[in-house]
mmCIF file of all heavy atoms in Angstrom:
data_model
loop_
_atom_site.group_PDB
_atom_site.id
_atom_site.type_symbol
_atom_site.label_atom_id
_atom_site.label_comp_id
_atom_site.label_asym_id
_atom_site.label_seq_id
_atom_site.Cartn_x
_atom_site.Cartn_y
_atom_site.Cartn_z
ATOM 1 N N TYR A 93 150.707 109.476 134.120
ATOM 2 C CA TYR A 93 150.968 109.056 135.385
ATOM 3 C C TYR A 93 152.516 109.070 135.568
ATOM 4 O O TYR A 93 153.120 109.533 136.615
ATOM 5 C CB TYR A 93 150.428 107.655 135.784
ATOM 6 C CG TYR A 93 150.795 107.353 137.090
ATOM 7 C CD1 TYR A 93 150.214 107.816 138.266
ATOM 8 C CD2 TYR A 93 151.863 106.390 137.370
ATOM 9 C CE1 TYR A 93 150.636 107.453 139.519
ATOM 10 C CE2 TYR A 93 152.260 105.962 138.657
ATOM 11 C CZ TYR A 93 151.629 106.586 139.737
ATOM 12 O OH TYR A 93 151.993 106.298 141.000
ATOM 13 N N LYS A 111 156.486 113.096 150.937
ATOM 14 C CA LYS A 111 155.394 112.821 150.183
ATOM 15 C C LYS A 111 153.976 113.148 150.761
ATOM 16 O O LYS A 111 152.961 113.326 150.001
ATOM 17 C CB LYS A 111 155.329 111.376 149.661
ATOM 18 C CG LYS A 111 155.148 110.378 150.709
ATOM 19 C CD LYS A 111 155.235 108.867 150.314
ATOM 20 C CE LYS A 111 155.113 108.024 151.413
ATOM 21 N NZ LYS A 111 155.099 106.634 150.942
ATOM 22 N N MET A 140 146.081 109.082 143.784
ATOM 23 C CA MET A 140 146.871 109.687 144.803
ATOM 24 C C MET A 140 147.581 108.540 145.635
ATOM 25 O O MET A 140 148.702 108.667 145.956
ATOM 26 C CB MET A 140 145.936 110.458 145.739
ATOM 27 C CG MET A 140 146.563 111.285 146.897
ATOM 28 S SD MET A 140 147.732 112.536 146.210
ATOM 29 C CE MET A 140 146.507 113.874 145.956
ATOM 30 N N GLU A 141 146.819 107.520 146.054
ATOM 31 C CA GLU A 141 147.360 106.444 146.890
ATOM 32 C C GLU A 141 148.554 105.865 146.188
ATOM 33 O O GLU A 141 149.700 105.625 146.661
ATOM 34 C CB GLU A 141 146.330 105.541 147.352
ATOM 35 C CG GLU A 141 145.357 105.984 148.360
ATOM 36 C CD GLU A 141 144.388 104.919 148.789
ATOM 37 O OE1 GLU A 141 144.644 103.729 148.698
ATOM 38 O OE2 GLU A 141 143.376 105.356 149.202
ATOM 39 N N GLN A 142 148.428 105.529 144.906
ATOM 40 C CA GLN A 142 149.408 104.813 144.164
ATOM 41 C C GLN A 142 150.648 105.720 143.990
ATOM 42 O O GLN A 142 151.780 105.351 144.078
ATOM 43 C CB GLN A 142 148.927 104.420 142.656
ATOM 44 C CG GLN A 142 149.926 103.596 141.955
ATOM 45 C CD GLN A 142 150.252 102.319 142.536
ATOM 46 O OE1 GLN A 142 149.260 101.609 142.909
ATOM 47 N NE2 GLN A 142 151.470 101.998 142.589
ATOM 48 N N LEU A 143 150.373 107.083 143.801
ATOM 49 C CA LEU A 143 151.384 107.976 143.610
ATOM 50 C C LEU A 143 152.319 108.079 144.806
ATOM 51 O O LEU A 143 153.508 107.971 144.735
ATOM 52 C CB LEU A 143 150.860 109.410 143.249
ATOM 53 C CG LEU A 143 151.770 110.556 142.996
ATOM 54 C CD1 LEU A 143 152.647 110.315 141.663
ATOM 55 C CD2 LEU A 143 150.975 111.913 142.997
ATOM 56 N N LYS A 144 151.752 108.229 145.927
ATOM 57 C CA LYS A 144 152.465 108.292 147.213
ATOM 58 C C LYS A 144 153.147 106.910 147.472
ATOM 59 O O LYS A 144 154.346 106.907 148.017
ATOM 60 C CB LYS A 144 151.568 108.648 148.387
ATOM 61 C CG LYS A 144 151.095 110.100 148.355
ATOM 62 C CD LYS A 144 150.300 110.479 149.620
ATOM 63 C CE LYS A 144 149.944 111.892 149.379
ATOM 64 N NZ LYS A 144 149.289 112.439 150.722
ATOM 65 N N LYS A 145 152.554 105.828 147.085
ATOM 66 C CA LYS A 145 153.221 104.544 147.299
ATOM 67 C C LYS A 145 154.506 104.498 146.304
ATOM 68 O O LYS A 145 155.547 103.983 146.743
ATOM 69 C CB LYS A 145 152.287 103.379 146.886
ATOM 70 C CG LYS A 145 152.842 102.023 147.114
ATOM 71 C CD LYS A 145 151.697 100.987 146.792
ATOM 72 C CE LYS A 145 152.354 99.574 146.661
ATOM 73 N NZ LYS A 145 151.333 98.591 146.228
ATOM 74 N N ASP A 146 154.252 104.911 145.118
ATOM 75 C CA ASP A 146 155.525 104.823 144.188
ATOM 76 C C ASP A 146 156.630 105.811 144.436
ATOM 77 O O ASP A 146 157.639 105.672 143.928
ATOM 78 C CB ASP A 146 154.919 104.944 142.746
ATOM 79 C CG ASP A 146 154.125 103.826 142.265
ATOM 80 O OD1 ASP A 146 154.175 102.772 142.874
ATOM 81 O OD2 ASP A 146 153.358 104.084 141.156
ATOM 82 N N LEU A 147 156.193 106.785 145.295
ATOM 83 C CA LEU A 147 157.353 107.729 145.768
ATOM 84 C C LEU A 147 158.204 107.262 146.876
ATOM 85 O O LEU A 147 159.164 107.886 147.190
ATOM 86 C CB LEU A 147 156.693 109.072 146.149
ATOM 87 C CG LEU A 147 156.169 109.956 144.940
ATOM 88 C CD1 LEU A 147 155.316 111.055 145.378
ATOM 89 C CD2 LEU A 147 157.355 110.471 144.157
ATOM 90 N N ASP A 148 157.886 106.042 147.399
ATOM 91 C CA ASP A 148 158.687 105.530 148.519
ATOM 92 C C ASP A 148 160.109 105.164 147.932
ATOM 93 O O ASP A 148 160.302 104.697 146.800
ATOM 94 C CB ASP A 148 158.037 104.313 149.003
ATOM 95 C CG ASP A 148 157.010 104.608 150.033
ATOM 96 O OD1 ASP A 148 157.107 105.721 150.639
ATOM 97 O OD2 ASP A 148 155.980 103.777 150.316
#
Side-chain angles (χ1 to χ4, degrees):
Y93 178 77
K111 66 183 179 179
M140 184 68 81
E141 287 180 29
Q142 186 65 46
L143 183 64
K144 289 185 177 185
K145 181 179 172 185
D146 289 344
L147 286 164
D148 279 338

